[in-house]
Amino acid sequence: VVASYQTLRRATADPRTFVGRGAARSMAERAQETGANMLVIDAELSPSQTRNLEDEAGMAVCDREAVILNVFLKHARSKKAKIQVEIAHLEYLRPRIRGLGLDMDQQAGGLMNARGPGETASELLARRLDGRLAELRKQFARVVSAGGTQRRRRTGCARAVLVGYTNAGKTSLMNALTGAELSARDVPFETLDTTSRCLTRYGGDVVLSDTVGFIRRLPSRLVASFESTLAEICEASLVVVVIDASDPEWEMHVATTEAQIVRLGAGDVPRMYVFNKMDRARALPSRWAAALDGQPFVAVSAHDPEGVAALRARIVSAARPDDVRQKLFVPYAATEVSAVLYARCRVLGAEAFAQGQCLTVEAPRGVIDGLRQQLRRLR
């Protein structure tokens, strides 16, 4: 529960306490008046600044990165997400060991219990943290390797990725588009795992992936920890930027998302902009067009089946721009060709004849050419 808040303006941050000694004491007095027991700073503090601020304020201090890490720890569910978050958390704690409230006195060492060069409690804890980090990194390498194998199996599929500011409704849209039943609670960072589902129910599928949400000033440590998860964006055929149309700060959300996409090296991947939560929208479409520099966008609500169906068709077309439509005559005896055809093409229509079927299909030109060669060899 937020007991009170205070905004400070400084030309430069105080190197010792970030906010300055006077401000720290003022905050401590205000905390005592309101019954608060923790001071939360909306900035990234160094370990020494955190310790000095705790000494000046006389209470626990938590910075922006610690708050976000705690949210991530709460929402991590899969093995991969738990490992990623724990690595980021331990890396955050490692330089802050001195402030953990432990007795850091020199331990007894040497012969006959004489005081000697024994390890301090902080050194022991640091060694344990280093060991745990090494173990987690090995586990993470194995999980990433398994994920790479799964992505290679989808190389024949076009991939679209949902990205956007946290709480923009990406998972709700994912559920509506694919029929998935993923958790979509109205809380920040509900999704920490990249989840993929088939967007279409025919061969040559378009695979849609839901990714972790972005946030303004996302700590670099967390971006590094989720690099393998966010790598899905760089490998996509289409990036679908989901924007919360009901949020008054949607323009800042778009700018933050665009900056993160470029930061990840996916600036050249084709994009589609989707304004979600149209049932609660506040801004006008004319403002959206101006903010996006005239780039096309789609307005939809995840609760509108017709709008979702139209969005699905647009994503499929944009993710597979090289698809061509063709009619192929496939003899009934050509079972191998039929298997490939149904596995890698969209069958739009079929007409039966005595010797076989005339199928209207849609697929990449290379797939169509390969099927034609197989059919010619059967003649």
Side-chain angles (χ1 to χ4, degrees):
V1 178
V2 178
S4 178
Y5 70 91
Q6 183 175 347
T7 301
L8 298 177
R9 295 186 181 275
R10 292 180 59 98
T12 57
D14 182 71
R16 188 173 182 278
T17 63
F18 188 79
V19 298
R21 180 175 296 180
R25 291 176 180 173
S26 173
M27 289 177 182
E29 293 173 0
R30 194 167 181 177
Q32 290 176 355
E33 294 172 0
T34 57
N37 57 9
M38 177 178 285
L39 183 61
V40 179
I41 306 295
D42 186 18
E44 293 184 41
L45 304 180
S46 68
S48 62
Q49 286 174 331
T50 303
R51 289 193 296 270
N52 294 333
L53 191 53
E54 286 177 339
D55 292 340
E56 292 290 344
M59 67 177 66
V61 173
C62 186
D63 68 355
R64 177 185 178 84
E65 185 171 2
V67 172
I68 297 174
L69 275 170
N70 286 331
V71 175
F72 273 44
L73 284 168
K74 182 179 179 181
H75 292 167
R77 293 183 180 86
S78 72
K79 181 178 181 180
K80 182 177 182 180
K82 288 178 179 178
I83 293 174
Q84 286 173 305
V85 175
E86 188 176 354
I87 288 174
H89 192 231
L90 293 182
E91 287 177 343
Y92 175 82
L93 289 178
R94 178 66 173 79
R96 292 167 171 80
I97 289 174
R98 283 182 54 197
L100 296 179
L102 300 174
D103 181 6
M104 299 301 174
D105 292 340
Q106 186 82 7
Q107 294 183 348
L111 298 174
M112 300 178 65
N113 293 328
R115 304 298 277 182
E119 289 182 301
T120 61
S122 60
E123 290 170 339
L124 282 171
L125 182 55
R127 191 149 53 86
R128 293 193 187 111
L129 288 182
D130 290 341
R132 178 61 179 163
L133 277 169
E135 179 185 346
L136 287 170
R137 286 173 180 138
K138 289 179 182 178
Q139 293 180 19
F140 186 63
R142 291 194 291 268
V143 173
V144 169
S145 177
T149 301
Q150 292 176 349
R151 286 198 297 272
R152 284 192 293 273
R153 290 174 181 170
R154 299 198 297 262
T155 51
C157 303
R159 281 183 278 175
V161 178
L162 297 175
V163 302
Y165 208 80
T166 184
N167 224 27
K170 298 186 300 300
T171 305
S172 296
L173 208 54
M174 175 84 167
N175 290 339
L177 287 166
T178 65
E181 297 180 354
L182 306 174
S183 176
R185 293 183 300 164
D186 188 17
V187 293
F189 299 114
E190 173 65 5
T191 299
L192 293 183
D193 305 295
T194 297
T195 306
S196 299
R197 296 288 188 274
C198 287
L199 186 60
T200 50
R201 301 303 177 197
Y202 46 75
D205 284 331
V206 174
V207 175
L208 185 66
S209 299
D210 185 19
T211 60
V212 61
F214 298 132
I215 193 173
R216 179 176 55 91
R217 289 159 45 209
L218 184 66
S220 56
R221 194 190 318 272
L222 288 171
V223 175
S225 295
F226 282 82
E227 267 186 1
S228 65
T229 299
L230 297 172
E232 195 91 17
I233 298 173
C234 300
E235 300 171 0
S237 310
L238 176 70
V239 171
V240 181
V241 180
V242 181
I243 307 160
D244 183 354
S246 68
D247 197 305
E249 296 187 325
W250 63 269
E251 290 182 79
M252 182 272 288
H253 295 178
V254 173
T256 300
T257 301
E258 287 290 339
Q260 291 291 351
I261 291 173
V262 173
R263 180 181 180 182
L264 293 167
D268 295 331
V269 179
R271 293 208 254 301
M272 175 185 293
Y273 296 89
V274 177
F275 283 89
N276 191 24
K277 304 185 184 181
M278 277 300 298
D279 49 330
R280 293 185 285 172
R282 300 179 184 178
L284 298 174
S286 57
R287 282 194 59 198
W288 299 340
L292 298 177
D293 295 327
Q295 296 187 64
F297 61 85
V298 182
V300 71
S301 167
H303 304 295
D304 176 17
E306 291 184 4
V308 169
L311 175 61
R312 184 187 298 111
R314 290 192 63 165
I315 291 175
V316 170
S317 298
R320 301 184 70 100
D322 299 328
D323 280 10
V324 294
R325 187 172 297 186
Q326 191 71 49
K327 284 189 176 182
L328 298 174
F329 182 80
V330 182
Y332 292 123
T335 54
E336 292 184 3
V337 177
S338 296
V340 173
L341 187 147
Y342 279 98
R344 303 192 63 186
C345 304
R346 280 179 279 177
V347 179
L348 305 177
E351 189 176 358
F353 294 93
Q355 301 298 321
Q357 286 184 307
C358 184
L359 301 173
T360 302
V361 300
E362 196 171 73
R365 186 175 299 277
V367 174
I368 298 291
D369 292 343
L371 289 170
R372 284 184 173 281
Q373 291 178 7
Q374 285 184 275
L375 290 171
R376 279 196 291 267
R377 285 197 293 267
L378 293 174
R379 293 175 184 172

